Amino acid sequence: MKKVLILTAGFGDGHNTAARNVADAVEMISDEAKVEVLDVFQSSLGLLNDVLKKAYLGLTRFAPGVWSGIYSMLDSSKKLESNLLAFGNLKDALQGIIEQSQPDCVISTYPVYAHVIREIYRDHSERPFRFITVVTDSISVNSSWFRAPSDWYCVPNEATAQVLRRNGVPPEKIRAFGFPVNPVFAEKQDNPAEAPREGGPIKILYIINTGKKKTGKALERLLEMPRAHLTITVGRDAELKEKLASRLEKFGERARLLGWTNQMPRLMLSHHLVVTKAGGATVQEAIAGRCPMILNQVIPGQEDGNAELVRQLDAGAVAEKSRDVVEWVGKAFANDGELWKKWRGNLAKVARPDASIRIAELALNECASDGPPNRLFVTEAPGMTRPARRPSTNGGGEARMLLCDFHIHTNYSDGKLTAPEVVDFYGKRGFDCICITDHLGDPRRLIGKLSKLLKLTLGPEQMDEYFDVLERERRRAWRKYKMLLMTGIEFNKDGFSRKSSAHLLGIDLKAPINPALDLPPTIAEIHAQGGLAVASHPHIMKSEWGKNTLYLWDNQEVFAPLIDAWEIANRNNIFTPVGLKRLAFLANSDFHKPKHIYSWKTLLHSEKDPEAIKECIRKNDHVAITLYRDNLPARALQPASLEVPQLVPLDAAVPLRSLSA
Ligand code: ZN
Ligand code: ZN
């Protein structure tokens, strides 16, 4: 096992963000590595840390000038190192941690650690691990980053690399991988938003960092531009969110409010512009997401470098007053978005969305090449078995028959299993692609007796979490089972009768969609995200769920051109008219509990890649349905009892016992 220890410090946002992203990347690319992120300041210098943090939080908000004085003292002079080293417990704490955890590789995202490590091994022989410094400064580089030795220096750009070389760091030790942003940026299916159409909506991401009094006014000014569509993140300030919600209500869907989110990559990639303060991590994420920026706040002494970076790259603007933000948005999109296109082009040239993955690769390589020799004899503990795995040649590449299920519920709505349990349940059965589609009720329709269903559907406040958890599970599903996991939603548009009721699946969604939209705009939103719109159980069936949902079928002349595929089979029901009408089809479980696995499924002849799979469904070329059976325990809910000795190779056969169950 390769052990990677990542050291960080919670001063400013850049260090922690970098550390967390590199840790995610290590987990993403390796099954065997064990990675740990540690803030030794937090654990050993509780008091000092609190003082610093209070200074940071308090002074930045109320007296930026004072803070900038402290910051420059802290971060620029030798005093920092000597001051902190004077707190001997930092050294003792780190030494204890290293002795206990015996890492193969240590990565530091905060300059002080290199000095502490030098201190620890000053009188001893070689240090027993490889050491990588990840420099998070991107314009002016603090010299404390390179005054202590390191095996590697990963820097955010070529300019920083030059500074290090000029200061005597050997060039072969420097890697300009970029700032380690969230590894999600590196995934190819996430492309940045295309240029807005002439006169079309301009999607603006507005990040509120501090609850400034004038925020409401600034937002209103922006929304007075008829083309502006705002996604506003307010952080954990529920009160502010509520205030803004009522204040911006008059703008309807053009103002979308989110609370705390860790979906920044997704948001950066899907918006044309971000309005934010000049925080280091945010600026770097915007660069990785190729999302031009308008900076509306720059904390002196701390964020000037970030603002300078945006100016140097010519990737956005710094707005002195909140009024200027509107002006800049106007300028950016005048003349068919000439200025915006220039910004975007400049960002595309420098974006390094895979930086954290490159750093993780470097760290894992270091573990492999120079680990202490005694590690070679460490064997796995008895009783540890590896999970059964599909041959790795199935990870994309050539087309073959894929076993898929695109209609699955978890306990986010009325399903019995959690999302991770669903992933293990299907993964162990060798499925190639699944989509989790929890119910999202239309608040306008949840009336009378239907209202009891409310608690069995996703709440609007849970949407972010839902996308988050499924994103995490998507990575795990691929790592562990080479199974693709897509995020979906089943939009329940229930009326009083079957004729007015419809269920619509949105498959492979990137972001929440307003549940109160009518069907055609819902479908348009799904398509705008690159997803598929699928009619679920569109015809008469024997249903456990309640009434039939015939609205889409009855209005085919409207919906057939909009919908990508219709469920020809759902659980045990088959809707032959879907086939007779020659509509594009799919077959799904509508899985709510383990026994529902024994139901109709889709087989697609496709590459194992989300885009290829969706294209295969749209074209409905080489699509087949199959009634799925296996001999695995179906009732088991406990993950432990889902353990199976080995997987039936799918290519051999999908066991079809009977067609009449
Ligand atoms: Zn349904
Ligand atoms: Zn369903």
Side-chain angles (χ1 to χ4, degrees):
M1 190 205 289
K2 301 174 174 183
K3 287 197 261 180
V4 180
L5 175 63
I6 304 180
L7 301 172
T8 180
F11 311 126
D13 56 355
H15 313 293
N16 278 347
T17 310
R20 205 178 46 235
N21 292 338
V22 172
D24 277 357
V26 169
E27 286 193 327
M28 194 189 247
I29 63 176
S30 169
D31 287 340
E32 285 125 324
K34 189 166 172 268
V35 60
E36 199 176 342
V37 177
L38 204 71
D39 181 345
V40 186
F41 289 89
Q42 186 76 53
S43 48
S44 69
L45 302 172
L47 187 66
L48 173 68
N49 196 45
D50 276 359
V51 171
L52 288 173
K53 214 175 228 163
K54 273 198 195 104
Y56 181 80
L57 292 176
L59 296 176
T60 52
R61 196 170 299 167
F62 302 115
V66 180
W67 171 252
S68 94
I70 291 178
Y71 185 81
S72 58
M73 179 206 90
L74 255 184
D75 229 17
S76 67
S77 74
K78 267 194 173 152
K79 264 189 210 149
L80 168 68
E81 293 141 30
S82 47
N83 282 347
L84 291 175
L85 285 176
F87 290 85
N89 39 355
L90 177 62
K91 185 179 153 196
D92 293 347
L94 186 56
Q95 192 163 6
I97 288 160
I98 287 171
E99 275 163 17
Q100 226 172 41
S101 61
Q102 299 201 8
D104 302 294
C105 180
V106 175
I107 300 174
S108 164
T109 64
Y110 190 65
V112 167
Y113 290 115
H115 300 266
V116 179
I117 285 172
R118 183 179 57 188
E119 285 300 307
I120 294 174
Y121 296 97
R122 188 176 280 276
D123 313 316
H124 302 277
S125 50
E126 238 176 299
R127 73 175 129 72
F129 53 84
R130 304 292 285 170
F131 183 58
I132 300 175
T133 291
V134 174
V135 177
T136 55
D137 294 357
S138 57
I139 278 232
S140 53
V141 192
N142 194 304
S143 63
S144 57
W145 283 108
F146 50 81
R147 280 208 306 267
S150 191
D151 295 316
W152 295 95
Y153 298 86
C154 298
V155 299
N157 50 44
E158 189 42 42
T160 314
Q162 271 175 26
V163 176
L164 264 65
R165 284 197 292 266
R166 270 206 307 276
N167 282 278
V169 177
E172 68 275 10
K173 289 187 166 195
I174 305 170
R175 290 285 178 276
F177 286 138
F179 182 91
V181 288
N182 191 319
V184 171
F185 280 110
E187 283 167 79
K188 71 174 168 89
Q189 58 263 47
D190 291 324
N191 288 314
E194 278 168 34
R197 276 166 287 117
E198 179 123 43
I202 299 167
K203 293 166 73 181
I204 301 169
L205 177 61
Y206 197 108
I207 301 175
I208 298 177
N209 301 87
T210 46
K212 287 200 293 183
K213 281 221 178 66
K214 289 180 181 158
T215 303
K217 184 74 207 144
L219 292 169
E220 278 177 347
R221 277 210 197 96
L222 270 173
L223 285 160
E224 274 155 22
M225 311 179 79
R227 289 176 69 189
H229 281 61
L230 259 60
T231 303
I232 304 147
T233 67
V234 299
R236 298 195 191 274
D237 193 341
E239 205 181 318
L240 176 66
K241 188 177 171 190
E242 211 176 295
K243 241 188 246 166
L244 289 176
S246 64
R247 183 160 181 177
L248 302 177
E249 202 185 347
K250 54 181 179 281
F251 298 103
E253 284 157 21
R254 291 204 294 122
R256 182 165 69 119
L257 275 162
L258 299 177
W260 182 81
T261 171
N262 53 16
Q263 291 297 338
M264 259 326 149
R266 190 157 52 76
L267 293 170
M268 297 270 187
L269 287 163
S270 58
H271 286 74
H272 296 120
L273 263 185
V274 55
V275 180
T276 175
K277 79 175 193 123
T282 311
V283 166
Q284 295 294 344
E285 286 189 323
I287 294 172
R290 286 138 286 177
C291 185
M293 289 153 263
I294 294 176
L295 303 177
N296 61 353
Q297 189 191 356
V298 182
I299 297 175
Q302 215 191 326
E303 297 179 341
D304 309 293
N306 303 323
E308 183 54 30
L309 180 65
V310 173
R311 278 197 208 98
Q312 276 184 19
L313 295 175
D314 194 5
V318 179
E320 306 288 342
K321 290 179 288 232
S322 95
R323 201 177 299 274
D324 298 347
V325 173
V326 179
E327 211 168 286
W328 275 111
V329 174
K331 278 187 208 165
F333 293 97
N335 302 325
D336 199 19
E338 195 182 330
L339 179 58
W340 181 84
K341 283 175 190 162
K342 187 175 80 173
W343 288 344
R344 162 61 68 80
N346 290 338
L347 283 168
K349 277 183 240 156
V350 297
R352 303 294 297 271
D354 62 348
S356 52
I357 297 201
R358 294 284 93 83
I359 295 169
E361 283 170 352
L362 176 67
L364 291 170
N365 252 330
E366 289 292 277
C367 296
S369 59
D370 257 328
N374 61 336
R375 297 282 153 73
L376 294 174
F377 303 102
V378 175
T379 50
E380 274 179 344
M384 275 181 71
T385 48
R386 291 174 179 283
R389 297 191 68 154
R390 313 283 311 275
S392 58
T393 50
N394 290 339
E398 82 284 19
R400 54 181 200 89
M401 224 55 186
L402 306 178
L403 179 60
C404 311
D405 193 350
F406 299 99
H407 188 162
I408 298 169
H409 298 275
T410 72
N411 66 352
Y412 273 112
S413 60
D414 56 349
K416 289 279 183 291
L417 304 188
T418 64
E421 282 167 352
V422 162
V423 164
D424 290 327
F425 191 85
Y426 279 84
K428 284 173 177 165
R429 285 172 163 78
F431 274 71
D432 296 288
C433 179
I434 64 170
C435 182
I436 289 180
T437 52
D438 275 306
H439 297 286
L440 181 62
D442 184 336
R444 301 169 306 171
R445 294 173 183 241
L446 286 166
I447 32 180
K449 63 176 179 169
L450 290 169
S451 67
K452 71 172 187 290
L453 293 173
L454 192 56
K455 59 178 178 297
L456 296 176
T457 67
L458 271 166
E461 72 292 342
Q462 262 190 309
M463 291 306 288
D464 272 339
E465 178 188 333
Y466 178 72
F467 274 82
D468 253 25
V469 167
L470 293 189
E471 171 58 28
R472 210 169 308 140
E473 284 303 309
R474 182 182 67 74
R475 293 187 222 164
R476 190 178 67 90
W478 183 251
R479 226 168 41 222
K480 196 161 178 189
Y481 302 108
K482 288 283 172 277
M483 176 174 78
L484 294 172
L485 171 66
M486 295 175 170
T487 298
I489 287 173
E490 182 169 20
F491 296 91
N492 290 25
K493 305 286 181 189
D494 293 303
F496 284 113
S497 71
R498 58 188 197 173
K499 282 197 161 303
S500 61
S501 296
H503 286 189
L504 178 81
L505 300 176
I507 289 174
D508 199 24
L509 299 180
K510 305 286 181 262
I513 291 176
N514 181 352
L517 291 178
D518 287 332
L519 281 159
T522 304
I523 295 170
E525 269 285 328
I526 294 170
H527 286 158
Q529 295 187 19
L532 298 177
V534 173
S536 44
H537 41 77
H539 208 261
I540 293 167
M541 61 172 175
K542 196 177 137 289
S543 162
E544 293 170 35
W545 208 77
K547 89 167 73 63
N548 283 301
T549 47
L550 302 180
Y551 180 78
L552 292 170
W553 185 257
D554 289 349
N555 295 281
Q556 263 173 69
E557 65 292 346
V558 177
F559 289 102
L562 303 179
I563 280 179
D564 298 292
W566 302 69
E567 276 186 348
I568 195 169
N570 174 293
R571 188 107 28 99
N572 294 311
N573 295 278
I574 292 209
F575 314 116
T576 30
V578 171
L580 292 171
K581 292 261 183 168
R582 303 223 157 221
L583 293 164
F585 63 83
L586 278 183
N588 294 320
S589 306
D590 206 345
F591 182 93
H592 285 74
K593 49 188 160 186
K595 71 170 190 183
H596 292 163
I597 193 73
Y598 304 135
S599 60
W600 288 96
K601 302 283 183 292
T602 303
L603 290 169
L604 299 174
H605 189 259
S606 164
E607 254 176 72
K608 197 148 128 187
D609 165 90
E611 297 308 317
I613 285 173
K614 286 185 285 181
E615 195 49 28
C616 179
I617 295 169
R618 284 187 202 105
K619 286 192 180 144
N620 236 233
D621 187 21
H622 280 79
V623 178
I625 66 171
T626 183
L627 188 61
Y628 180 85
R629 294 287 185 266
D630 63 39
N631 294 317
L632 303 180
R635 287 186 179 283
L637 283 173
Q638 298 306 316
S641 48
L642 295 177
E643 291 295 339
V644 288
Q646 86 186 87
L647 278 173
V648 183
L650 176 65
D651 302 305
V654 176
L656 291 178
R657 233 188 244 158
S658 145
L659 286 173
S660 58

